[in-house]
Every structure is written in structure tokens, then in C-alpha cells.
Amino acid sequence: MPVSCGLCEKRAMLKRPKTGGALCKECFFKVFEEEVHQTITSASLFKRGETVAIAASGGKDSTVLAHLMKLLNERHNYGLTLFLLSVDEGITGYRDDSLETVKRNQQQYELPLKVVSYKELYGWTMDEIVRQIGLKNNCTFCGVFRRQALDRGAMMLRVDKIVTGHNADDVAETVIMNVLRGDIARLQRCTAIVTGTEGAIPRCKPFKYTYEKEIVMYAYFKKLDYFSTECIYSPNAYRGHARTYLKDLESIRSTSIIDIIHSGECMSVSVKKDVKMPTQGTCDRCGYISSNELCKACVLLEGLNKGLPKLGIGKPHKARMALGLANTTNTSTTSGSQRKEGCRSCSCRGRQNAVVNDSPECKKDNGLSSLSKGDGDPTSTDSSMKKEVGSKSSTVGVGGDSVAACSCNGGVQKEPCADTVGAKGQSVLCGKDDENTPCACKKGKRQVGTRTTGDSRAMLDLDF
Ligand code: SF4
Ligand code: ZN
């Protein structure tokens, strides 16, 4: 006997993964869209007049996100100006195909599209990186670079916010991973619906409470044009195990995903007072927000350019030692080096977390003036790096500009400058947080076929 829709008299077409309720297609569309609208309004994600970049990979999440952002913006008159923003990692046979999908989405949704590439920003494609480092740590590079690339693209577009397609499953996986690792600092941040508010362009997750299965169903029934092939470099990452565990829990109890998110939110509130968060400064080289002298992207890039690709993998202090960063300010007076915050009287140039030393030179040095002359520049380590880095498209810079070519005095930034930090003079988060955000390809999810308007898993879920 046919099952009726729980909201109208029509025949039900699906069972909602989130609630188990039977719905017809039209009622499913209605509740799905309304729930995302509620998430947006209750968290006050946007203000009228803002410009928003939709991170678009061509996958199901970002395609549904682009569709919904346009739909809800018009339906509820949010007053937003929308852009599509894509990152081209340079993965032949994967990203080149998915970018074709994004380009079709651009036509379908009539939204302007900006594509930033790793090659343009860092001088390396992921294909080249994998040839250098193999298939073990490739996703560390990719995740760190993608995070910054997205921020840089957003700065070029001068947007106020970035929206990403991270869904409830992604957030719940991240909670599980952080609990299993005992990473309390990340646990605090990972359930936030808006991140990157400290100096960076804020990132919003309108799908924070939206189940992945429902996104797939929506895309399937709406016949949206999305790409569903897995990245050719996708490993069996830790996230994949968390995902399998979550799917097992979900099969026993459908509310598990939302329950885990709520638990993560509660844990985040309860640990807040006790956990000391790292002090945010800026990367000495590229000006991005970083709690170390160099941001993670610059360390990884330095390793690649020096033929030491494992440099940025593993313990940060080992990479710092290998890069000579313990001697950053003065290679001749290393023993007295120490960290001071916000020092304005020495060669640390007033940057938070800059390494200063106790040498007489440091005490006499009045900071910026000595740097402009270039004599006695205590960042000799930086200078030598810049030369070498320049041989491979140099350090990260907006639009492919190298830091060395910038007017900010060879990467030693007095003020945030347009060439290296973005036209708005903003700096952004370094790549350290990337583990909190799974990559666009949703590694660990086996997706089959090439471009498609459906998904085999969604079909399975349609059976009553
Ligand atoms: Fe990059 Fe994701 Fe592919 Fe890893 S699986 S290389 S993070 S696109
Ligand atoms: Zn940097």
C-alpha cells in the first residue's frame, strides 16, 4: 500500500534521513529549504548589502549550496551579492573535470565565478606535489593550501563572507576526531557556525545542521548538475574512519549526527574558560594570520622548494629548527632568543610573537628604520629563503605576486599591504585549522561515476 506524505495527501516519495518521516517531493523541498533559511536567520549569518563568496567545488554540497543561496536570497530578499569561488588544485582527471561542472553552474545560476589555482598562488600543482612527496601526506599540503587559496580568492573578490558546503555529517565527524585526539582547542572551534572572525574573512556554514543524505536527495530530485568522482589522490585518512563510525551510528539511530553536534557544542561551552588558545600573530613571510613565525603554508612551500617536502610534516618545532627559525632575528645571537609579544622596540618590528633576542643589537635597534636600509637586517634567514623560494614562483602572494616583489620591504611587513595581504589590507587565517574542515572532495566517501545528477546512495535511501 502506498505511503502518504506526512504533510499533505500526496504519495510519499522518500523517507527523511533526519527524522524518518515520509514526504512527497514538494514537501521535502519545502522543509529542506525552510530549515536552511532558519539556520541562516537564527545565526544571523548575513547582513543586508553584504557580498558573499560561495566556495564551489562542483560537488553535491557546494552545488546545492549555490542553488539554495541564490534561491533563498531572492525568496527572502536577503540583499546579498553572490559570487562563486573555486580553487583549482591542479589535479588532472579530477579537478579539471569538476571545474567544468562549476562553469556550467555559473551559467545555470548566473553568478560570477572566480577561480584561483595552486599553480598561480604557490607555483606548484597537486600533481607536481604528489610527484615530489608521494601519496602519504598529500592531503596535508592540499588542505593547508586550499584554505589559504580560498581566503586569497575571497580577498581578490573583496567579499565580506565566504559560505562553505560543510554539512552536519562533516561537523559531527570533526567533533569525533577532536574527541578521539583529545584536541580540546580544536573541539572548541569545530562546532562554530561562523569561523575565522579574528582578522580573516568569516566563513559560514549554512548546512551545519543539514544531513548529507538529504543534500544528496535534494540534488537528485532537483536534478542539479554536480560532479561526484572521488579525488585520485584520496587516501584512507583518519577522517575516513570517523566517517565510517558515524555512518554505523546513524544506521542505528538517525539522530546520532545532530546529537554529536549538540554534544560538541556543549563541550565547547564547558571547556572555554580553561583552555589557552594560541596567540594569533602574522606570518613573517606572507602576512597571513599565524601563531608561529611562518604560517603552515609557507613552511610547506619552503620544504617543497628546498627539495625537503617532509619539512612541514610532523612536529612544528622540528620544521622551525630545520628552517633556522629559532635564529630568525639574529643568527649571531641565537642563545638569547626568546619570544615576546607585541615588542615595539627591537627588530621584531612590533609583530606579535616575533622572535626577539637579548643581544645589544636588539636593544639598540629601533625597529623599522634599520630594515628600510637593509643593513644589519636580522632576518637574514628570511632573505636567504626568499632567494631560493623565488626560483619556484616564490612564496605565497595574491594573484601570484611574490612577497619579494612587494613593496613591503621584502616580506618584512610594516603595514598590511595590498600586494601580499589583500586589497582590503586584511590578513587571513593560516592553514593550521585545515584539519577542522574536510576537503571539498569529502575524502573517505566513495563516490562512483563521473558527472551525474544523481547518487547511488541516495537511491538506496529512497527505499521504504
Ligand atoms: Fe586534496 Fe582532497 Fe585530493 Fe587530498 S583527497 S589531494 S585534500 S582534493
Ligand atoms: Zn605565510
Side-chain angles (χ1 to χ4, degrees):
M1 185 178 162
V3 181
S4 295
C5 171
L7 297 176
C8 73
E9 299 302 309
K10 286 190 198 152
R11 182 178 172 177
M13 290 290 289
L14 58 96
K15 186 167 75 176
R16 270 198 85 179
K18 198 169 183 177
T19 59
L23 291 177
C24 70
K25 260 199 301 189
E26 287 69 27
C27 286
F28 171 64
F29 293 155
K30 218 162 124 185
V31 293
F32 183 89
E33 290 160 6
E34 186 56 25
E35 280 184 11
V36 176
H37 172 60
Q38 284 302 324
T39 304
I40 289 172
T41 50
S42 59
S44 305
L45 291 189
F46 312 114
K47 292 196 195 97
R48 175 171 294 280
E50 284 184 333
T51 52
V52 177
I54 303 163
S57 67
K60 63 183 183 325
D61 299 303
S62 64
T63 301
V64 173
L65 182 65
H67 172 86
L68 272 191
M69 284 298 294
K70 182 169 170 70
L71 182 96
L72 297 176
N73 190 33
E74 288 168 2
R75 181 183 292 168
H76 297 287
N77 197 16
Y78 291 164
L80 303 176
T81 305
L82 301 175
F83 292 89
L84 293 175
L85 173 58
S86 289
V87 176
D88 180 2
E89 297 95 341
I91 303 175
T92 312
Y94 168 64
R95 184 55 79 214
D96 43 2
D97 290 343
S98 65
L99 280 174
E100 289 307 311
T101 311
V102 176
K103 285 173 191 163
R104 286 195 303 276
N105 289 161
Q106 176 193 10
Q107 305 296 323
Q108 290 152 0
Y109 303 134
E110 297 175 320
L111 295 175
L113 167 67
K114 170 89 187 158
V115 181
V116 287
S117 72
Y118 285 6
K119 187 71 178 173
E120 180 193 335
L121 293 176
Y122 309 112
W124 293 78
T125 64
M126 271 312 291
D127 287 336
E128 290 167 342
I129 292 171
V130 168
R131 274 200 291 277
Q132 179 100 344
I133 64 162
L135 281 170
K136 194 151 177 240
N137 295 306
N138 53 305
C139 293
T140 301
F141 285 81
C142 194
V144 170
F145 288 170
R146 183 188 301 105
R147 183 172 185 86
Q148 285 205 357
L150 210 52
D151 283 327
R152 288 173 185 279
M155 285 176 178
M156 291 177 207
L157 288 171
R158 296 167 180 254
V159 296
D160 300 296
K161 290 190 178 139
I162 303 171
V163 286
T164 63
H166 293 112
N167 58 45
D169 298 51
D170 298 327
V171 178
E173 278 165 24
T174 308
V175 171
I176 292 172
M177 286 165 64
N178 288 331
V179 168
L180 294 178
R181 286 171 170 156
D183 192 335
I184 305 299
R186 283 206 169 95
L187 185 59
Q188 278 196 61
R189 298 190 298 252
C190 73
T191 53
I193 194 164
V194 181
T195 54
T197 48
E198 299 142 358
I201 296 176
R203 292 179 181 225
C204 312
K205 300 186 197 100
F207 288 165
K208 179 184 169 186
Y209 299 112
T210 308
Y211 276 34
E212 181 192 47
K213 284 181 179 173
E214 299 202 350
I215 292 172
V216 176
M217 281 182 175
Y218 187 87
Y220 171 78
F221 283 121
K222 283 277 183 186
K223 297 187 168 37
L224 300 185
D225 182 1
Y226 69 92
F227 183 84
S228 62
T229 298
E230 191 178 15
C231 171
I232 55 172
Y233 302 137
S234 176
N236 190 16
Y238 194 47
R239 181 172 286 278
H241 298 298
R243 167 158 294 268
T244 307
Y245 176 58
L246 188 68
K247 290 291 169 207
D248 287 347
L249 288 178
E250 190 192 4
S251 67
I252 299 164
R253 197 172 64 170
S254 63
T255 59
S256 297
I257 294 172
I258 287 294
D259 293 344
I260 290 169
I261 294 175
H262 286 154
S263 301
E265 288 169 341
C266 292
M267 285 189 271
S268 155
V269 169
S270 60
V271 298
K272 219 159 227 162
K273 293 181 217 88
D274 310 328
V275 179
K276 196 170 186 313
M277 302 299 284
T279 309
Q280 291 286 20
T282 53
C283 171
D284 280 5
R285 181 165 306 175
C286 72
Y288 269 47
I289 287 179
S290 172
S291 48
N292 293 309
E293 295 94 322
L294 291 189
C295 71
K296 184 80 172 170
C298 282
V299 172
L300 291 171
L301 198 53
E302 182 67 13
L304 283 173
N305 290 326
K306 281 190 162 175
L308 300 166
K310 295 208 173 135
L311 194 65
I313 311 291
K315 301 281 181 203
H317 73 272
K318 287 189 181 163
R320 294 228 323 271
M321 281 175 68
L323 287 169
L325 287 174
N327 306 335
T328 299
T329 52
N330 191 331
T331 51
S332 64
T333 55
T334 56
S335 57
S337 292
Q338 63 181 36
R339 281 175 168 277
K340 291 180 183 174
E341 286 187 11
C343 171
R344 294 202 170 272
S345 62
C346 81
S347 53
C348 71
R349 292 167 297 282
R351 282 166 296 180
Q352 279 197 327
N353 282 346
V355 176
V356 297
N357 59 70
D358 296 322
S359 72
E361 184 191 5
C362 181
K363 283 170 189 159
K364 278 185 221 152
D365 184 0
N366 66 354
L368 297 173
S369 60
S370 67
L371 289 170
S372 59
K373 292 176 206 152
D375 62 319
D377 184 351
T379 57
S380 55
T381 314
D382 277 1
S383 306
S384 63
M385 277 183 208
K386 280 195 285 284
K387 277 185 205 134
E388 289 177 51
V389 172
S391 65
K392 186 78 179 180
S393 189
S394 77
T395 57
V396 282
V398 173
D401 292 340
S402 69
V403 172
C406 158
S407 58
C408 70
N409 210 2
V412 180
Q413 298 203 9
K414 302 172 189 173
E415 300 286 337
C417 82
D419 285 341
T420 54
V421 187
K424 279 188 171 178
Q426 293 170 300
S427 51
V428 299
L429 282 174
C430 74
K432 289 174 74 67
D433 295 325
D434 64 294
E435 288 182 17
N436 271 336
T437 52
C439 94
C441 74
K442 305 285 186 276
K443 60 197 177 199
K445 296 178 197 176
R446 172 62 56 181
Q447 296 182 337
V448 290
T450 53
R451 183 171 65 83
T452 178
T453 52
D455 190 293
S456 53
R457 288 169 304 143
M459 298 306 293
L460 287 174
D461 291 324
L462 298 181
D463 296 335
F464 283 97

Coordinates of all heavy atoms in Angstrom, one line a residue, residues 54-59 62-63 66 84-87 95 99 102 105 113 150 163:
I54 N 30.6 32.0 -2.6 CA 30.2 30.6 -2.3 C 31.3 29.7 -2.8 O 31.7 29.7 -3.9 CB 28.9 30.3 -3.1 CG1 27.8 31.2 -2.8 CG2 28.5 28.8 -2.9 CD1 26.6 31.2 -3.8
A55 N 31.9 29.0 -1.8 CA 33.0 28.1 -2.2 C 32.5 27.0 -3.0 O 31.7 26.2 -2.5 CB 33.7 27.6 -0.9
A56 N 32.9 26.9 -4.3 CA 32.2 26.0 -5.2 C 33.3 25.0 -5.7 O 34.3 25.4 -6.4 CB 31.6 26.7 -6.4
S57 N 33.0 23.7 -5.5 CA 33.9 22.7 -6.0 C 33.3 21.9 -7.1 O 34.0 21.1 -7.7 CB 34.3 21.7 -4.8 OG 33.1 21.0 -4.4
G58 N 32.0 22.1 -7.3 CA 31.3 21.3 -8.3 C 30.7 20.0 -7.7 O 30.0 19.3 -8.4
G59 N 31.0 19.7 -6.4 CA 30.4 18.6 -5.7 C 29.0 18.9 -5.3 O 28.5 20.0 -5.5
S62 N 28.4 21.8 -2.5 CA 28.6 23.2 -2.9 C 27.6 23.6 -4.0 O 27.2 24.7 -4.2 CB 30.0 23.5 -3.3 OG 30.4 22.8 -4.5
T63 N 27.2 22.6 -4.8 CA 26.2 22.8 -5.9 C 24.8 23.1 -5.3 O 24.2 24.1 -5.7 CB 26.1 21.6 -6.8 OG1 27.4 21.4 -7.4 CG2 25.1 21.9 -8.0
A66 N 25.0 26.6 -3.7 CA 24.9 27.7 -4.7 C 23.4 27.8 -5.1 O 22.9 29.0 -5.1 CB 25.8 27.4 -5.9
L84 N 30.6 32.9 -7.1 CA 31.2 31.6 -7.0 C 32.7 31.7 -6.9 O 33.3 32.5 -7.7 CB 30.8 30.7 -8.2 CG 29.3 30.4 -8.3 CD1 29.1 29.6 -9.6 CD2 28.8 29.6 -7.2
L85 N 33.3 31.0 -6.0 CA 34.7 31.0 -5.9 C 35.3 29.5 -5.8 O 34.9 28.8 -5.0 CB 35.1 31.7 -4.5 CG 36.6 31.7 -4.1 CD1 37.5 32.3 -5.2 CD2 36.8 32.5 -2.8
S86 N 36.1 29.2 -6.8 CA 36.7 27.9 -6.9 C 38.2 27.9 -6.7 O 38.8 28.8 -7.1 CB 36.3 27.2 -8.2 OG 34.9 27.0 -8.3
V87 N 38.7 26.8 -6.2 CA 40.1 26.6 -6.1 C 40.5 25.4 -7.1 O 39.9 24.3 -7.0 CB 40.5 26.2 -4.7 CG1 42.0 25.9 -4.6 CG2 40.1 27.3 -3.7
R95 N 40.1 17.6 -10.7 CA 39.6 19.0 -10.5 C 39.3 19.6 -11.9 O 38.4 20.5 -12.0 CB 40.7 19.8 -9.7 CG 40.2 21.2 -9.5 CD 38.9 21.3 -8.7 NE 39.0 21.0 -7.3 CZ 38.1 20.4 -6.6 NH1 37.0 20.0 -7.1 NH2 38.3 20.2 -5.3
L99 N 35.8 21.4 -12.3 CA 35.7 22.8 -12.6 C 34.8 23.0 -13.8 O 34.2 24.1 -13.9 CB 37.1 23.4 -12.9 CG 37.9 23.7 -11.6 CD1 39.3 24.2 -12.0 CD2 37.2 24.8 -10.8
V102 N 31.5 23.4 -12.4 CA 31.3 24.7 -11.7 C 31.0 25.8 -12.8 O 30.2 26.6 -12.6 CB 32.6 25.1 -10.9 CG1 32.4 26.6 -10.4 CG2 32.9 24.2 -9.8
N105 N 27.5 25.5 -13.7 CA 26.7 26.1 -12.6 C 26.7 27.6 -12.7 O 25.7 28.2 -12.4 CB 27.3 25.7 -11.2 CG 27.1 24.2 -10.9 OD1 27.8 23.7 -10.0 ND2 26.2 23.5 -11.6
L113 N 32.0 34.0 -11.5 CA 32.9 32.9 -11.0 C 34.3 33.4 -11.0 O 34.8 34.0 -11.9 CB 32.8 31.7 -11.9 CG 33.8 30.6 -11.7 CD1 33.7 29.9 -10.3 CD2 33.7 29.6 -12.8
L150 N 41.5 29.9 -0.8 CA 40.1 30.3 -0.7 C 40.0 31.7 -0.1 O 39.3 32.6 -0.6 CB 39.3 29.3 0.2 CG 37.8 29.2 -0.1 CD1 37.5 28.9 -1.6 CD2 37.2 28.1 0.8
V163 N 30.8 31.4 2.2 CA 30.0 30.3 2.7 C 30.5 29.0 2.1 O 31.0 28.9 1.0 CB 28.5 30.4 2.3 CG1 27.8 31.4 3.1 CG2 28.3 30.6 0.8

